Amino acid sequence: MTDNTTHNEQFTAFKVAVLIPTYNNANTLGAVLQDVLSYTSHVIVVNDGSTDHTATVLDNFPQIQRVDYTPNRGKGIALRRGFRYALQQGYDYVITMDADGQHFASDLLVFLEKLPTHQRHIIIGARNLQQENMPGKNTFANKFSNFWFYVETGLKGPDTQSGYRLYPVYAMQEMHFMCTKYEFEIEVLVRCSWKGIKIDWAPVKVYYPPADERVSHFRPFRDFSRISVLNTVLVLIAFLYIKPRNFIRYLFKKDSWYSMWHDHFLNKHESNAVKATSIGVGIFMGIVPIWGLQLITAVAVAAYFRLNKALVLIACNISMPPLIPFFIYGSFETGKLFVPADTAITITDNLSIEGLKKMLSQNGLLNAVQYFAGGTTLAIAGGLLGFIITWLCLKIFRPAANN
């Protein structure tokens, strides 16, 4: 039995196919297919409306599975149609490769080696971004992408832009995606992470030809703009829904309270003052009336002042949805101290949303002052109270800690 036969049997046993989306890569596609077919016969090519002689190249490989359509729709559509086709053919996983010759088929074995212990994971082939011929713009773009991926998911990774990936398509079949172009490869990572599909990385090789030999369909201004819009939407969803949802789920896990107490509150590597400040800052940021920006600002403040990020974020979630009406009420009531008595809004007199809108429209500036001044005062008071209570508790339970 040859090694290649053994590799193909592994693809068969794990129900894995190699998925190659292509658009006008006729000059490199043939060599890529020959390389991949030396490892497995489970190959799917999605011809995304190519206008060169890609179809002729594919005709020379009758053993592959093909998905052809016109006109060109973009890489996101090509991958999504490839996922759907793979599921229809009975595959549970696909390993995506680019058709431009940058990826090495020998690295398919890297994914197969990790698969037995990572069966519900997306595995990304992490490239060496410091190697010769690596375009400088790729390095910057990858760092940019890695940063926003961390903001949106809390996961740190070396390479979020690599197209060499293993996808567990069986776990993704109920998901619906929005993006159709290059930005799909960001959306799919973030939304799969939110769904509970884990993300992991494995080192792979990459070949970048000299600049005058490269073929790229990436349109810097248009595609970067689309990616920026996508990241804006994902950040808003993450901070307004995903992170509060995850926090609530965390609170109801069996070991969460034990972990919170021992790993974060009683951790001997931080002083009582740092921990108490982290709780105080978190409560302040959770109450202060900058809705939609609270968690983002809290993360930035925690990083800048080197606070306990976990405690800051836990405390920041004091503004979870069931408590928001109470903070709004408290903000308006406290804000009465800062505006003339005859213009102040009294929430109890206007319980309906329409009534509140009417009152706000009558004295817009003064009402805004009442709300924001009151909310900020309430946030300061809450933060100070949280700091004092936390510090006293830690003095009792961590008397030997460095203060």
Side-chain angles (χ1 to χ4, degrees):
M1 181 179 293
T2 66
D3 287 341
N4 290 344
T5 302
T6 301
H7 298 328
N8 192 57
E9 289 179 349
Q10 288 180 291
F11 277 88
T12 303
F14 288 118
K15 299 182 179 179
V16 183
V18 178
L19 174 61
I20 305 175
T22 184
Y23 172 63
N24 289 354
N25 295 117
N27 292 335
T28 55
L29 180 59
V32 170
L33 288 174
Q34 287 181 342
D35 198 13
V36 172
L37 288 168
S38 68
Y39 288 88
T40 180
S41 61
H42 298 282
V43 181
I44 302 169
V45 175
V46 180
N47 181 8
D48 182 26
S50 296
T51 56
D52 61 2
H53 58 285
T54 290
T56 302
V57 173
L58 294 177
D59 289 341
N60 294 326
F61 297 91
Q63 66 271 51
I64 68 171
Q65 303 173 71
R66 293 172 57 170
V67 178
D68 295 274
Y69 56 84
T70 57
N72 172 254
R73 297 292 306 278
K75 190 175 184 181
I77 292 293
L79 288 172
R80 287 159 58 180
R81 292 189 178 183
F83 293 169
R84 184 167 63 245
Y85 179 85
L87 285 167
Q88 291 170 350
Q89 302 308 308
Y91 293 107
D92 288 338
Y93 303 89
V94 296
I95 301 175
T96 59
M97 288 182 67
D98 292 341
D100 57 7
Q102 292 183 11
H103 302 149
F104 292 83
S106 57
D107 284 325
L108 291 168
L109 307 184
V110 173
F111 296 98
L112 291 182
E113 289 171 3
K114 291 184 73 73
L115 185 52
T117 55
H118 296 73
Q119 294 189 13
R120 192 180 167 85
H121 286 63
I122 293 176
I123 303 173
I124 304 173
R127 303 161 294 176
N128 176 9
L129 299 177
Q130 307 304 319
Q131 73 178 55
E132 185 179 2
N133 285 335
M134 172 64 71
K137 63 181 181 181
N138 286 37
T139 302
F140 168 79
N142 198 59
K143 290 180 179 179
F144 180 85
S145 179
N146 293 347
F147 169 76
W148 286 112
F149 180 72
Y150 172 70
V151 171
E152 293 150 4
T153 65
L155 301 176
K156 291 185 177 180
D159 189 356
T160 53
Q161 288 204 314
S162 172
Y164 207 174
R165 305 175 177 183
L166 181 143
Y167 289 99
V169 289
Y170 77 92
M172 300 161 54
Q173 56 188 315
E174 300 299 325
M175 299 181 67
H176 301 281
F177 299 97
M178 302 177 295
C179 298
T180 62
K181 308 292 184 183
Y182 284 98
E183 70 274 12
F184 169 79
E185 291 185 300
I186 298 172
E187 180 195 11
V188 69
L189 291 185
V190 173
R191 293 188 57 201
C192 282
S193 175
W194 292 347
K195 184 178 173 64
I197 298 172
K198 297 185 180 298
I199 314 292
D200 199 6
W201 284 263
V204 297
K205 302 180 291 295
V206 63
Y207 169 70
Y208 273 98
D212 58 346
E213 297 179 15
R214 294 177 195 144
V215 177
S216 175
H217 303 296
F218 186 84
R219 300 158 299 180
F221 177 78
R222 184 178 299 180
D223 288 321
F224 189 77
S225 297
R226 294 170 69 98
I227 290 170
S228 297
V229 171
L230 172 65
N231 278 318
T232 300
V233 173
L234 292 176
V235 166
L236 289 174
I237 295 173
F239 283 96
L240 294 178
Y241 172 67
I242 298 298
K243 291 184 183 293
R245 180 204 69 181
N246 291 347
F247 176 71
I248 293 172
R249 289 179 177 177
Y250 173 79
L251 291 179
F252 286 94
K253 286 184 179 179
K254 181 178 180 181
D255 299 325
S256 293
W257 290 98
Y258 178 88
S259 174
M260 193 186 305
W261 181 255
H262 286 271
D263 296 344
H264 297 299
F265 281 97
L266 300 185
N267 190 313
K268 64 182 180 180
H269 299 296
E270 288 179 332
S271 68
N272 290 347
V274 169
K275 291 182 181 297
T277 302
S278 300
I279 292 291
V281 168
I283 292 175
F284 171 83
M285 294 308 308
I287 300 175
V288 71
I290 51 172
W291 303 107
L293 299 174
Q294 292 166 310
L295 286 175
I296 297 175
T297 307
V299 170
V301 170
Y304 184 80
F305 290 103
R306 297 183 179 180
L307 302 177
N308 185 313
K309 297 183 183 64
L311 293 181
V312 171
L313 291 176
I314 288 171
C316 193
N317 279 279
I318 192 172
S319 61
M320 65 181 63
L323 297 178
I324 290 176
F326 296 99
F327 290 130
I328 294 176
Y329 174 80
S331 297
F332 277 109
E333 288 298 302
T334 306
K336 289 180 179 180
L337 299 172
F338 302 94
V339 297
D342 59 339
T343 63
I345 290 180
T346 301
I347 296 295
T348 52
D349 293 340
N350 299 277
L351 294 177
S352 71
I353 293 177
E354 290 303 319
L356 183 56
K357 287 181 178 179
K358 182 178 179 180
M359 289 291 291
L360 284 170
S361 65
Q362 291 174 353
N363 293 289
L365 179 59
L366 285 175
N367 293 334
V369 169
Q370 179 182 344
Y371 175 64
F372 285 101
T376 302
T377 303
L378 194 65
I380 293 172
L384 287 174
L385 184 62
F387 172 87
I388 293 169
I389 293 175
T390 303
W391 189 79
L392 289 174
C393 288
L394 290 171
K395 286 289 288 185
I396 296 171
F397 292 101
R398 300 177 73 229
N402 175 26
N403 295 292

